[in-house]
Amino acid sequence: MPSPAKAQPDKYELVSELAKRRGFFWPSYEIYGGVSGFVTFGAYGAALKRRIEDKFRRFFLNPYGMIEIESSIITPAKVFEASGHLAHFKEPLVECLKCKRRFRADHLLQEQAKMTDTETEKLSLKELETTIKTKNIRCPECNSTTWGKPKHFLTMFQTTIGPYASAEATGYGRPEAAQGIFVEFKRLYEQTREKLPLGIAQIGHALRNEISPRQGLIRLREFTIMDVEFFFDPEEPCTWLKHMENETLRIIPAELKLKGKKEPITITTKDALTRGIVKTEWQAFFMALAKQFLIQLGVPEEKQRFIEKLPWEKAHYSLQSFDQEIFLDRWGWTEVSGLAYRADYDLKQHMQHSGADMQVYKEYPKPVTKEVLTIKPNMAKLGPVFKKDAAKIAEQLKNADANEVQTSLEKKGYYTLDAYKILPEHVEITKAKVEEKGKRFIPHVVEPSFGSDRLAYIALEYAYEQKKDRALLKLPRDVAPVQVGVFPLMNRDGLTERAMEIARKLTGEGFTVEYDDSGSIGRRYARMDEVGTPLCVTIDYTTLKDQTVTIRDRDSWKQVRTDVSELVKGLHEYFSYDKEFKDLGEPVKE
Amino acid sequence: MPSPAKAQPDKYELVSELAKRRGFFWPSYEIYGGVSGFVTFGAYGAALKRRIEDKFRRFFLNPYGMIEIESSIITPAKVFEASGHLAHFKEPLVECLKCKRRFRADHLLQEQAKMTDTETEKLSLKELETTIKTKNIRCPECNSTTWGKPKHFLTMFQTTIGPYASAEATGYGRPEAAQGIFVEFKRLYEQTREKLPLGIAQIGHALRNEISPRQGLIRLREFTIMDVEFFFDPEEPCTWLKHMENETLRIIPAELKLKGKKEPITITTKDALTRGIVKTEWQAFFMALAKQFLIQLGVPEEKQRFIEKLPWEKAHYSLQSFDQEIFLDRWGWTEVSGLAYRADYDLKQHMQHSGADMQVYKEYPKPVTKEVLTIKPNMAKLGPVFKKDAAKIAEQLKNADANEVQTSLEKKGYYTLDAYKILPEHVEITKAKVEEKGKRFIPHVVEPSFGSDRLAYIALEYAYEQKKDRALLKLPRDVAPVQVGVFPLMNRDGLTERAMEIARKLTGEGFTVEYDDSGSIGRRYARMDEVGTPLCVTIDYTTLKDQTVTIRDRDSWKQVRTDVSELVKGLHEYFSYDKEFKDLGEPVKE
């Protein structure tokens, strides 16, 4: 019998091998046996990730005047009590009674019973227990089918702040950077001169104590989150929507998802809003922006989609949520960003728990006249009936909601105040016109949220190609970790010195440069192709004669020749997308 | 009696007030009563801090070909067991028996008994206890003098990784980013093609669970560390020293410090090495570089010094350590960086604990011939004396250090092997010539380490000035959070549109721009001065006529007028220090 054909490695395997060998990323602490959920980014990976974060600033934040802050990862428990994380940031855990290993109960059902996450997220602990039994789920470690009762596990890292071990001193690693923004909202609003809309971003490490993380860069216990909390007045229109209204989105709305539909509808942001598929203009705007951002990182439109979260899938704070998903070779459709309409949930919670006023004041363009009802207690009638309580009742009536009192009197013929029955004759309700200059309200929030580690992986997978049996990363030029390779053709005759001089000059100009003089020129090009360096400059004998160098393109493997004096300007234009490779010099014949 | 004159606010107070009001930094979580040791950086502060980190890359790392990586903050316990942190990263804590508050025992002695940290760091727990008693130290909270026994408190944040609460699963927040580099050294060395010296940096959050942090940005529980681990062959000279040998350093060597001297000596790096004040060339090089870096952040030479750590002050891993200190208005001489010669300590520890080989191989330029001694046991002599033990002894002798055996035989006339006395006649020691092509060794490490939060504070304090009763931040132009303010002179006649257009253009060119059209132009300049914006561009009626704008200088308050078409180029040159303000256009008469 012939041995089974060796399976082709998938892109995840190819990218991971390259990433480990060349220094993009790899599992951390392997010399100590490794700890799942943690990765280390090497020189190329850290640079790629940083460039993606910078691109996020340049593309997503700066053009829209959003600001960026930095708060701490360790956060006192009070914050997560208010935000609802302590109650909700949990996952169902189940223990194998034989080998004592613990697993995500829902993941076991997804893997062994082929249930979808939409199906499993709906299940209560009791239902999970029953389903594990009926589906005959086996322990992935020891194959046993005897399971403990599923229970909820808080997936935040817990610690103690300071030298006292008390509940007061409990802290958690933040699972999102959002709360660091919400708790400081009022101060940030004042510092930015009290204007809405106000976008506040944060890029930094976040921690989630996953029960059993796998999938490399896709599910980490420590990762870099890029959260935008965008505060706006829900009564005002989205000022930037006009730039995006004809942008198309591929969406699977909750309604279709419930019907088991897996194909997205393609629709403009404008139509998605008109048809009520997306509830808030600002959310539609950010969905379009998020789509464009991923396109710029190398993921074409047809490999992207937005999938609406069902009521039981949404985070506890969300009115409407979409996951932006992109297609990965091994993992299929994978979440790359979440777009949640958090409304006023978080600010309201912090307002209630801390007592700090999170409302903003908005002055109307011109004062608005409103009819206001006022209650005037009729003491002549109240006195005889309620005796010594009459004064207290009169006071309470003044503070009662006049609309409510009137409605009750009209509908039921009386109004109940504590234990007292108030009749129409006890009060006089008058109408008055009041001029309001503005309103106080809690801003609403839409939150687009990315992870830069995952984006780095996605950029790598989409950039990965094989050409003539070797790997090539066609990374977008503005996120490539090295911008320019600089090589002397030979290690003699002054070529090395001249090449080093040019490398130093380019470094001084702010380019990321790698100088390399070892091995054949072909091998040096190959090394640069493999880490995605868009351009390589070679210094040859002609350089010494006429001060020209060749520039070689990663994608076409073509070369042009240009004057050294033109090099800096040309590269600046190339990397800011003002010029294409072919315009950097005269073509070199092959 | 007249009331005492109100004390002048010191610079710390002035800077903190401005920082909170304008959005540089402030204590976090104040709506929940605050948690000491945590700060939030607002828009300006986060930008300043990020620019300082970028400057570190540009100035400290890139010109010397160092790489940067990113590893996790949460680190498994095994790593800190090997690195010695679990045994050593502790501070003495003492509890007031009356009010139960806990304090740093050494800090109490420093504050109340005016002892220096050099004095307190020397004290054992027992000595701390006695000294607290004899010096009659009082509880800062309740004034009591009854104290518990001082004990050591591990100042790392502890947590549990994953769903099992076991020792195996214990993790800590890293107190330094160094270990994330050391544990991955071998892989990083391979990825960078096995060359020394190799500088590996990491910039990221670090955590120290301080017992009772005060001093705002100076002592934080969560901060951003910038660690460089510089790996080198101790037998090779420092290749870059020649650029630094005439750089002067102000040093207080351990010897002078012990004598109570407080004035530094001023000495070139070359002389410091010749006189043995600095033990390693690479350390001297980094001291000079660290000094230059601080000068570039605005701290003049005379406000800097290096102070050598005494044996009992040094970290457990260090052969020689200097603190780089700078002078702050409130805190006096304050550590801004540590420069530790860690030698091969860390790699050796991880090699022992993990079993991973951390040695590198170095091929000699040409093979080296060495004389090697070999021990040949003389069985004819050993047998009769040691009987049945003779074989075992012979075996052990073969593995013994031949040089040591020979020296002992020559000097003492015998060599002691366990309980046996070996005489010259029992062995034959022969010399042989061996050709060695290279050597295997553990690289040595010098570590410069900064904190970017503290650097941000220092830059602010040194930039802070008052001019005509208002605050001005003379930040170096390459770290200022906003580069250019753009204002229309009036909010009408098309000036607003033109100004917005120019602001957009500059943003697109990568500048950080703040557009402002509210209030008088004088007030707008003042707002920008206060956050350190070097240049402001104003669009006025002349602009509409001849396409020129004014540029106004933060420091001199002077103005020049230039063509809009020249603006982008001029600003690029100004911010890369290729041009000064006065060369940006024609002077405007005042």
Side-chain angles (χ1 to χ4, degrees):
Chain A
M1 215 173 83
S3 65
K6 192 169 175 276
Q8 280 290 336
D10 62 12
K11 282 213 165 174
Y12 181 77
E13 198 174 328
L14 292 168
V15 168
S16 300
E17 184 281 326
L18 185 151
K20 198 173 203 169
R21 181 165 46 79
R22 294 304 307 273
F24 281 91
F25 65 88
W26 59 91
S28 303
Y29 312 115
E30 285 191 333
I31 66 168
Y32 288 108
V35 187
S36 54
F38 298 93
V39 294
T40 297
F41 289 89
Y44 294 124
L48 169 66
K49 184 166 167 286
R50 221 160 48 236
R51 283 191 191 273
I52 288 174
E53 291 159 10
D54 278 342
K55 190 181 172 73
F56 183 73
R57 293 181 176 108
R58 233 163 39 234
F59 182 82
F60 215 97
L61 306 179
N62 298 353
Y64 307 99
M66 296 191 234
I67 64 168
E68 181 182 345
I69 71 157
E70 184 179 337
S71 72
S72 64
I73 295 166
I74 293 194
T75 308
K78 279 176 186 169
V79 172
F80 292 123
E81 205 179 293
S83 70
H85 281 80
L86 281 180
H88 299 287
F89 208 77
K90 293 173 174 173
E91 301 292 355
L93 173 151
V94 66
E95 184 175 289
C96 166
L97 293 181
K98 196 167 157 222
C99 76
K100 305 292 176 198
R101 298 291 305 171
R102 296 174 187 176
F103 302 90
R104 276 277 295 264
D106 52 340
H107 286 182
L108 290 176
L109 290 172
Q110 288 163 28
E111 287 158 16
Q112 296 184 33
K114 303 294 165 218
M115 291 173 73
T116 65
D117 52 358
T118 301
E119 288 165 339
T120 57
E121 289 204 39
K122 215 173 164 176
L123 302 177
S124 67
L125 287 179
K126 188 71 212 158
E127 288 165 335
L128 281 168
E129 188 183 0
T130 323
T131 318
I132 284 172
K133 207 162 282 172
T134 55
K135 299 278 186 185
N136 200 32
I137 300 301
R138 292 179 173 280
C139 171
E141 284 292 320
C142 74
N143 219 28
S144 150
T145 54
T146 54
W147 294 98
K149 276 190 191 305
K151 58 185 175 184
H152 278 129
F153 174 72
L154 184 71
T155 53
M156 292 199 290
F157 284 100
Q158 187 180 328
T159 193
T160 301
I161 303 171
Y164 308 97
S166 68
E168 268 287 284
T170 299
Y172 294 93
R174 64 179 180 197
E176 55 169 31
Q179 299 306 324
I181 296 171
F182 292 129
V183 295
E184 309 292 346
F185 169 73
K186 211 48 192 296
R187 179 157 283 153
L188 292 162
Y189 180 69
E190 283 161 11
Q191 287 163 357
T192 49
R193 293 156 62 204
E194 315 204 337
K195 282 176 192 158
L196 288 185
L198 170 60
I200 307 177
Q202 189 163 193
I203 301 176
H205 279 217
L207 302 169
R208 293 183 186 178
N209 197 9
E210 302 282 349
I211 293 170
S212 46
R214 274 161 292 184
Q215 303 180 289
L217 272 192
I218 302 302
R219 191 169 294 275
L220 292 171
R221 282 178 167 144
E222 180 166 338
F223 61 104
T224 299
I225 205 160
M226 309 199 295
D227 271 344
V228 177
E229 307 308 315
F230 195 85
F231 299 87
F232 62 97
D233 178 349
E235 288 178 3
E236 295 286 338
C238 166
T239 36
W240 300 322
L241 192 66
K242 58 179 181 291
H243 304 296
M244 295 289 187
E245 51 184 25
N246 296 317
E247 192 71 51
T248 53
L249 302 172
R250 287 158 39 89
I251 306 183
I252 304 180
E255 200 191 337
L256 291 186
K257 194 172 162 186
L258 277 173
K259 290 183 189 153
K261 293 268 163 70
K262 279 171 183 169
E263 268 309 299
I265 53 168
T266 303
I267 191 170
T268 63
T269 56
K270 198 180 179 179
D271 287 346
L273 286 162
T274 317
R275 288 173 48 188
I277 291 172
V278 179
K279 287 187 187 149
T280 331
E281 287 185 351
W282 284 107
Q283 189 160 21
F285 168 78
F286 280 114
M287 287 165 78
L289 193 60
K291 172 198 142 182
Q292 289 179 349
F293 183 52
L294 264 292
I295 287 177
Q296 295 227 350
L297 291 180
V299 185
E301 188 159 5
E302 68 274 16
K303 300 288 186 184
Q304 299 189 34
R305 68 182 193 187
F306 291 92
I307 187 159
E308 188 179 353
K309 294 244 181 193
L310 298 175
W312 59 86
E313 295 172 327
K314 282 186 308 191
H316 59 277
Y317 46 70
S318 167
L319 276 190
Q320 186 181 35
S321 278
F322 290 90
D323 277 353
Q324 181 183 18
E325 296 185 332
I326 59 103
F327 193 83
L328 289 179
D329 195 30
R330 177 178 293 187
W331 316 108
W333 289 103
T334 306
E335 182 191 345
V336 63
S337 82
L339 293 115
Y341 178 26
R342 298 177 83 130
D344 59 359
Y345 175 85
D346 300 272
L347 290 183
K348 207 183 235 170
Q349 289 292 111
H350 288 300
M351 191 162 158
Q352 280 168 6
H353 281 72
S354 72
D357 184 5
M358 292 293 187
Q359 295 177 101
V360 303
Y361 176 75
K362 177 172 103 169
E363 197 170 271
Y364 297 134
K366 48 183 184 181
V368 173
T369 308
K370 282 195 176 170
E371 277 200 341
V372 174
L373 298 181
T374 316
I375 301 174
K376 201 182 153 201
N378 186 337
M379 288 312 287
K381 299 279 183 186
L382 284 171
V385 182
F386 297 109
K387 307 264 164 34
K388 66 174 174 44
D389 292 343
K392 191 184 75 184
I393 290 171
E395 198 53 40
Q396 280 181 281
L397 279 171
K398 278 188 208 161
N399 294 323
D401 182 326
N403 289 306
E404 210 179 288
V405 175
Q406 193 182 43
T407 311
S408 181
L409 293 178
E410 279 172 10
K411 285 198 176 165
K412 300 197 280 184
Y414 62 90
Y415 172 74
T416 313
L417 180 80
D418 291 345
Y420 310 108
K421 199 169 185 176
I422 308 297
L423 302 174
E425 64 202 64
H426 296 147
V427 292
E428 187 186 336
I429 296 182
T430 55
K431 269 186 196 165
K433 289 200 171 175
V434 173
E435 200 174 63
E436 278 183 7
K437 288 193 174 155
K439 66 166 182 173
R440 293 179 64 73
F441 69 102
I442 299 178
H444 277 214
V445 169
V446 160
E447 174 199 71
S449 175
F450 294 84
S452 62
D453 323 77
R454 201 178 279 200
L455 288 173
Y457 175 76
I458 290 166
L460 287 173
E461 180 168 317
Y462 273 86
Y464 189 94
E465 275 187 22
Q466 282 175 326
K467 188 166 170 180
K468 298 205 174 158
D469 264 353
R470 50 192 192 74
L472 187 92
L473 292 182
K474 291 198 170 176
L475 288 168
R477 65 182 83 160
D478 58 353
V479 300
V482 179
Q483 294 177 298
V484 193
V486 176
F487 315 145
L489 184 67
M490 299 284 175
N491 278 332
R492 54 173 188 256
D493 307 323
L495 291 176
T496 325
E497 290 71 16
R498 189 73 183 104
M500 280 179 155
E501 204 180 288
I502 289 172
R504 261 196 307 274
K505 188 181 163 61
L506 296 179
T507 305
E509 281 288 328
F511 295 105
T512 318
V513 174
E514 196 162 306
Y515 172 87
D516 188 358
D517 60 13
S518 77
S520 74
I521 202 84
R523 182 171 290 178
R524 284 181 260 168
Y525 284 142
R527 277 199 288 259
M528 286 288 94
D529 285 349
E530 206 181 33
V531 298
T533 307
L535 301 176
C536 291
V537 170
T538 299
I539 284 77
D540 55 18
Y541 287 103
T542 314
T543 312
L544 300 184
K545 273 183 251 160
D546 67 0
Q547 300 299 321
T548 61
V549 293
T550 64
I551 310 178
R552 183 259 194 189
D553 179 39
R554 174 195 67 197
D555 300 338
S556 64
W557 293 2
K558 288 199 158 89
Q559 294 184 35
V560 295
R561 184 170 276 279
T562 185
D563 225 82
V564 173
S565 62
E566 294 292 308
L567 194 57
V568 168
K569 187 158 175 282
L571 294 182
H572 275 306
E573 288 169 342
Y574 174 84
F575 283 105
S576 50
Y577 289 90
D578 289 333
K579 215 173 212 176
E580 288 309 307
F581 166 72
K582 64 178 176 43
D583 305 318
L584 287 176
E586 294 301 313
V588 173
K589 285 202 195 113
E590 320 231 342
Chain B
M1 218 174 77
S3 64
K6 192 169 175 277
Q8 280 290 336
D10 63 12
K11 282 212 165 173
Y12 182 77
E13 198 174 327
L14 293 168
V15 168
S16 300
E17 184 281 325
L18 187 153
K20 197 173 202 169
R21 182 166 45 81
R22 295 304 308 273
F24 281 91
F25 64 88
W26 59 90
S28 304
Y29 313 114
E30 285 191 333
I31 66 168
Y32 289 107
V35 187
S36 55
F38 296 93
V39 295
T40 297
F41 289 90
Y44 294 124
L48 169 66
K49 183 166 168 286
R50 222 160 47 237
R51 281 192 192 273
I52 289 174
E53 291 159 8
D54 279 341
K55 189 179 173 74
F56 183 73
R57 293 181 175 108
R58 235 165 35 236
F59 182 83
F60 215 97
L61 305 180
N62 299 353
Y64 307 99
M66 297 191 234
I67 64 168
E68 182 182 344
I69 73 156
E70 184 180 337
S71 71
S72 64
I73 294 166
I74 294 193
T75 308
K78 278 176 187 170
V79 172
F80 292 123
E81 204 178 294
S83 70
H85 281 80
L86 280 180
H88 299 288
F89 209 76
K90 292 173 174 173
E91 301 293 356
L93 173 151
V94 66
E95 184 175 290
C96 166
L97 293 181
K98 197 169 156 216
C99 74
K100 305 292 176 197
R101 297 292 304 170
R102 295 173 188 178
F103 302 90
R104 276 277 294 264
D106 52 341
H107 287 180
L108 290 176
L109 290 172
Q110 288 163 25
E111 287 158 17
Q112 297 183 33
K114 303 293 165 217
M115 292 173 74
T116 64
D117 54 357
T118 301
E119 287 165 339
T120 56
E121 289 205 38
K122 216 173 162 176
L123 302 177
S124 67
L125 287 180
K126 188 71 210 159
E127 288 165 334
L128 282 168
E129 188 183 359
T130 323
T131 317
I132 283 172
K133 207 161 282 172
T134 56
K135 300 278 185 184
N136 200 32
I137 300 300
R138 293 181 171 278
C139 171
E141 284 291 320
C142 74
N143 218 29
S144 149
T145 53
T146 53
W147 294 98
K149 275 187 192 307
K151 57 185 176 185
H152 278 129
F153 174 73
L154 184 71
T155 53
M156 292 200 290
F157 285 100
Q158 187 180 327
T159 194
T160 301
I161 304 171
Y164 308 96
S166 68
E168 268 286 285
T170 299
Y172 293 92
R174 63 178 180 196
E176 57 168 30
Q179 299 307 324
I181 297 170
F182 291 129
V183 295
E184 308 293 345
F185 169 72
K186 212 47 191 295
R187 180 158 282 154
L188 292 162
Y189 180 71
E190 284 161 11
Q191 287 163 356
T192 49
R193 292 157 63 206
E194 316 206 335
K195 281 176 193 157
L196 289 185
L198 170 60
I200 307 176
Q202 187 162 193
I203 301 176
H205 279 219
L207 302 168
R208 293 184 186 177
N209 197 9
E210 301 284 349
I211 292 171
S212 46
R214 275 161 292 182
Q215 303 180 291
L217 273 193
I218 302 301
R219 191 169 294 278
L220 293 171
R221 281 176 168 146
E222 181 165 338
F223 61 103
T224 300
I225 205 161
M226 309 199 294
D227 271 344
V228 176
E229 307 307 315
F230 194 87
F231 299 86
F232 62 98
D233 177 350
E235 289 179 2
E236 295 286 339
C238 166
T239 35
W240 300 321
L241 191 66
K242 57 179 182 294
H243 304 295
M244 294 290 186
E245 50 185 25
N246 297 317
E247 192 71 52
T248 53
L249 303 172
R250 286 158 40 89
I251 306 183
I252 305 181
E255 200 191 336
L256 290 185
K257 193 172 162 185
L258 277 173
K259 290 183 187 153
K261 292 269 163 70
K262 281 172 182 167
E263 268 307 300
I265 53 168
T266 303
I267 190 170
T268 63
T269 56
K270 197 179 180 180
D271 286 346
L273 286 163
T274 316
R275 288 174 49 188
I277 291 172
V278 179
K279 286 187 187 149
T280 333
E281 287 185 352
W282 283 108
Q283 189 160 21
F285 168 79
F286 280 115
M287 287 165 77
L289 193 60
K291 172 197 141 182
Q292 290 180 348
F293 183 51
L294 264 292
I295 288 178
Q296 295 228 350
L297 290 180
V299 185
E301 188 159 4
E302 68 275 15
K303 299 288 187 184
Q304 299 189 34
R305 68 182 193 187
F306 291 92
I307 187 159
E308 188 177 355
K309 295 244 181 193
L310 297 175
W312 58 86
E313 295 173 329
K314 281 185 307 190
H316 59 278
Y317 47 71
S318 165
L319 275 190
Q320 186 181 34
S321 279
F322 290 91
D323 276 353
Q324 181 183 17
E325 296 185 332
I326 60 103
F327 193 83
L328 290 179
D329 195 30
R330 177 178 294 186
W331 315 107
W333 288 103
T334 305
E335 182 190 345
V336 62
S337 82
L339 294 115
Y341 178 26
R342 299 177 83 130
D344 60 358
Y345 174 85
D346 300 272
L347 290 183
K348 207 183 233 169
Q349 288 294 108
H350 287 300
M351 190 161 158
Q352 279 168 8
H353 280 72
S354 72
D357 185 4
M358 293 293 188
Q359 296 177 101
V360 303
Y361 176 76
K362 177 172 104 169
E363 197 170 273
Y364 297 133
K366 48 183 184 182
V368 172
T369 309
K370 282 195 177 171
E371 277 200 340
V372 174
L373 297 180
T374 315
I375 301 175
K376 202 183 150 197
N378 186 338
M379 288 311 288
K381 299 280 183 184
L382 285 170
V385 182
F386 298 109
K387 308 266 165 34
K388 66 172 177 38
D389 291 344
K392 190 184 75 185
I393 289 169
E395 198 53 40
Q396 280 182 281
L397 278 171
K398 278 187 210 163
N399 294 325
D401 182 326
N403 289 305
E404 207 180 289
V405 175
Q406 193 181 42
T407 310
S408 180
L409 293 179
E410 279 171 9
K411 284 199 177 166
K412 301 198 278 185
Y414 63 90
Y415 173 74
T416 314
L417 181 81
D418 292 346
Y420 311 107
K421 198 169 184 175
I422 307 297
L423 301 175
E425 66 203 61
H426 295 146
V427 292
E428 188 188 334
I429 297 183
T430 54
K431 271 185 194 165
K433 289 199 173 176
V434 172
E435 200 175 62
E436 280 183 5
K437 287 191 176 159
K439 65 165 182 175
R440 293 178 65 73
F441 69 102
I442 299 178
H444 277 213
V445 170
V446 160
E447 174 199 71
S449 175
F450 294 83
S452 62
D453 323 78
R454 200 177 281 200
L455 288 174
Y457 175 76
I458 289 166
L460 287 173
E461 179 168 319
Y462 272 87
Y464 189 94
E465 273 188 22
Q466 282 175 327
K467 189 166 169 180
K468 297 204 177 160
D469 265 353
R470 50 192 193 73
L472 187 93
L473 292 182
K474 291 197 169 176
L475 288 167
R477 64 183 83 157
D478 57 354
V479 300
V482 178
Q483 294 177 298
V484 193
V486 176
F487 317 145
L489 184 66
M490 299 283 176
N491 279 333
R492 54 174 187 254
D493 307 322
L495 290 176
T496 325
E497 291 71 15
R498 189 72 183 105
M500 281 180 155
E501 204 179 290
I502 290 172
R504 260 195 309 274
K505 187 180 163 60
L506 296 180
T507 305
E509 281 288 328
F511 294 106
T512 318
V513 174
E514 197 163 305
Y515 172 86
D516 188 358
D517 60 14
S518 78
S520 74
I521 200 85
R523 183 170 289 179
R524 284 180 261 168
Y525 285 143
R527 277 200 287 260
M528 286 288 95
D529 285 348
E530 206 181 34
V531 298
T533 307
L535 302 177
C536 291
V537 171
T538 299
I539 284 75
D540 55 17
Y541 287 103
T542 314
T543 312
L544 301 184
K545 273 182 249 162
D546 68 359
Q547 300 298 318
T548 60
V549 293
T550 64
I551 310 179
R552 182 259 194 189
D553 179 39
R554 174 195 67 198
D555 300 338
S556 64
W557 294 2
K558 289 198 156 88
Q559 294 184 37
V560 294
R561 185 170 274 279
T562 185
D563 225 82
V564 173
S565 61
E566 294 292 308
L567 194 57
V568 168
K569 187 158 173 284
L571 294 182
H572 275 306
E573 287 169 340
Y574 174 84
F575 284 105
S576 50
Y577 289 91
D578 289 334
K579 214 173 212 175
E580 288 310 307
F581 166 72
K582 65 177 176 42
D583 304 318
L584 287 176
E586 295 301 315
V588 173
K589 284 201 198 116
E590 319 232 341

